[in-house]
Amino acid sequence: MGLLTGLRNSIARMTSSLFAGGEQQRRIGIYGPPNAGKTTLANRIARDWTGDAVGPESHIPHETRRARRKEDIEIERNGKSVSIDIVDTPGVATKVDYTEFLEHDMEEDDAVRRSREATEGVAEAMHWLREDVDGVIYVLDAAEDPFTQVNTMLVGIIESQDLPVLIFANKIDLDEASVQRINNAFPQHETVPLSALEGDNMDEVYDKIAEYFG
Amino acid sequence: MSEAHDDPGTDGDGGGNDADTDVDAENDGGNTGDGSGVQIDMISGERMDGLTSMEKIRLILDGVHEGNIVILEEGLDPDEESKLIEVTMTEISPDEFTGIEIETYPGTEQQQTGGFFDRLFGRESRTKLTVIGPANRLETLHKDETLISTLVTRR
């Protein structure tokens, strides 16, 4: 991103915050590849601070096919309160093949419908990334290779928007998990290890959310 | 495996709004839609410089829809990559088009964005090569910081 573009975006965000009045509500997008545990994390955060869930979780790819928002999550850390809206987005991919869903005992009509909904959801999530989020939590499955083209592209896109980004290495409860592998792939960003499923290391997760997005 | 053909941008027309016409004309003459080979479109940075973001994306996706492998000498910027994913998603159709496979070399962000002064002054590093193809024909076998190995299959 050029200097002028960066300055323009910074001024726009500063102006927006000045006129918002009172406590600024930050809209934080949860992005990442399919099956990284984005919805599990969104649910964990929402349940911990509001008592409600955001959406259903599943091992089938593209369970989340429409972005879901949970508003007014107040996170209290070290005597301070941070208010955020979290947006759980569909897993970003460059390809969606409905036949892959058939392997999960799904009828063809359902698989085709899931595929169509998933593509619409990803397109929407990409559009929002350029227009409608103030920060990003990028969730990766620590048991998978992070050095994929989609991850590289997405992190580059987020950086080009000058958005604050936290990389979460999820699923550290799995034996094959490697946080260091994610550190090596994206050394320019801080990586926070966690298990959204088990609730491991959530204190540090909330500390970092407050630090980056507060 | 393949028949490579010359960069479609070297015809001196300077790109512009006629990009789609150029590609279609070449496809009519050179695409091996009968499954006898794979067409590779190698697009120069000079050709892409004359196009808007959406024209670039259209040029890429039109080639990919034809079953071609598209190689960009200078890749896309992050905003264009974002739009490429978005437009690709809107064009996916069951049994017809399942999306794209894309790989970029070099693959790490530090290498793509250059040094501190490049970022400060808005200079984009142009040293990245991007390979894009139909997801059902292009498969990445291996990728690291120095090598992209892909398998291209016929229809």
Side-chain angles (χ1 to χ4, degrees):
Chain A
M1 173 177 293
L3 183 62
L4 288 176
T5 309
L7 277 174
R8 194 171 59 236
N9 287 350
S10 298
I11 290 168
R13 287 195 174 109
M14 190 170 69
T15 306
S16 169
S17 71
L18 280 174
F19 287 96
E23 189 176 7
Q24 188 186 6
Q25 195 82 8
R26 308 293 299 273
R27 188 172 299 124
I28 308 303
I30 300 180
Y31 281 82
N35 272 6
K38 297 180 293 299
T39 302
T40 307
L41 174 64
N43 283 340
R44 170 71 61 180
I45 296 171
R47 283 195 186 106
D48 280 355
W49 298 99
T50 72
D52 299 327
V54 174
E57 303 159 20
S58 162
H59 67 285
I60 305 174
H62 298 289
E63 178 66 31
T64 302
R65 300 183 293 283
R66 277 283 179 272
R68 298 189 190 95
R69 182 175 301 185
K70 185 72 180 171
E71 297 181 334
D72 300 328
I73 296 178
E74 296 273 342
I75 296 176
E76 292 179 11
R77 306 308 288 175
N78 305 320
K80 290 184 179 177
S81 179
V82 177
S83 182
I84 60 171
D85 298 343
I86 56 172
V87 184
D88 179 30
T89 68
V92 176
T94 59
K95 55 191 172 188
V96 178
D97 185 349
Y98 82 93
T99 59
E100 290 177 14
F101 301 133
L102 300 178
E103 296 167 10
H104 295 274
D105 295 328
M106 202 174 285
E107 295 294 327
E108 184 164 332
D109 287 351
D110 291 337
V112 169
R113 184 169 59 248
R114 192 182 189 89
S115 162
R116 287 204 174 105
E117 290 171 354
T119 57
E120 289 169 12
V122 174
E124 184 180 59
M126 294 309 298
H127 186 77
W128 283 15
L129 184 56
R130 293 197 304 272
E131 308 284 343
D132 204 33
V133 293
D134 302 308
V136 173
I137 290 172
Y138 198 78
V139 182
L140 289 164
D141 181 342
E144 299 287 332
D145 177 12
F147 194 63
T148 67
Q149 185 65 29
V150 169
N151 289 337
T152 304
M153 280 170 58
L154 258 290
V155 171
I157 291 164
I158 293 162
E159 288 171 343
S160 75
Q161 302 283 316
D162 281 344
L163 292 170
V165 57
L166 266 174
I167 293 186
F168 283 177
N170 192 23
K171 306 192 186 183
I172 57 168
D173 53 303
L174 299 180
D175 289 341
E176 57 270 37
S178 169
V179 178
Q180 188 58 46
R181 196 164 45 194
I182 294 176
N183 263 323
N184 294 343
F186 302 103
Q188 71 274 34
H189 296 290
E190 189 169 5
T191 299
V192 182
L194 76 149
S195 168
L197 185 66
E198 302 293 336
D200 296 340
N201 205 36
M202 292 306 292
D203 277 338
E204 185 183 358
V205 165
Y206 295 131
D207 285 345
K208 293 297 179 187
I209 288 176
E211 180 185 336
Y212 273 67
F213 308 127
Chain B
M1 152 200 119
S2 67
E3 55 174 21
H5 74 96
D6 292 336
D7 166 27
T10 55
D11 56 7
D13 65 3
N17 292 330
D18 58 346
D20 289 353
T21 308
D22 291 348
V23 172
D24 289 344
E26 292 196 13
N27 288 343
D28 289 342
N31 195 1
T32 54
D34 59 358
S36 62
V38 177
Q39 179 170 319
I40 297 177
D41 295 337
M42 301 169 70
I43 304 177
S44 71
E46 183 184 6
R47 167 68 173 258
M48 294 296 257
D49 279 346
L51 304 179
T52 66
S53 292
M54 287 311 296
E55 285 170 340
K56 291 178 188 176
I57 289 164
R58 202 61 270 154
L59 178 65
I60 293 164
L61 286 180
D62 284 349
V64 170
H65 275 296
E66 292 288 335
N68 303 345
I69 307 301
V70 178
I71 299 177
L72 307 179
E73 182 188 18
E74 292 177 355
L76 297 170
D77 68 35
D79 192 59
E80 291 165 346
E81 288 175 341
S82 167
K83 288 174 183 163
L84 176 64
I85 296 173
E86 185 178 342
V87 176
T88 298
M89 287 295 122
T90 66
E91 298 186 359
I92 287 177
S93 174
D95 293 327
E96 291 176 13
F97 177 60
T98 58
I100 59 173
E101 186 74 45
I102 177 168
E103 290 291 358
T104 294
Y105 163 85
T108 63
E109 184 59 22
Q110 299 98 307
Q111 289 166 301
Q112 289 174 19
T113 54
F116 171 75
F117 286 103
D118 284 341
R119 299 189 71 160
L120 181 63
F121 293 107
R123 291 196 297 251
E124 298 284 341
S125 171
R126 312 298 295 266
T127 56
K128 68 174 184 179
L129 181 96
T130 297
V131 183
I132 305 159
N136 62 347
R137 300 187 76 179
L138 185 66
E139 180 187 355
T140 302
L141 298 179
H142 173 79
K143 181 187 175 187
D144 61 30
E145 293 183 9
T146 58
L147 173 73
I148 298 171
S149 180
T150 62
L151 176 68
V152 182
T153 56
R154 297 178 181 180
R155 285 178 209 263

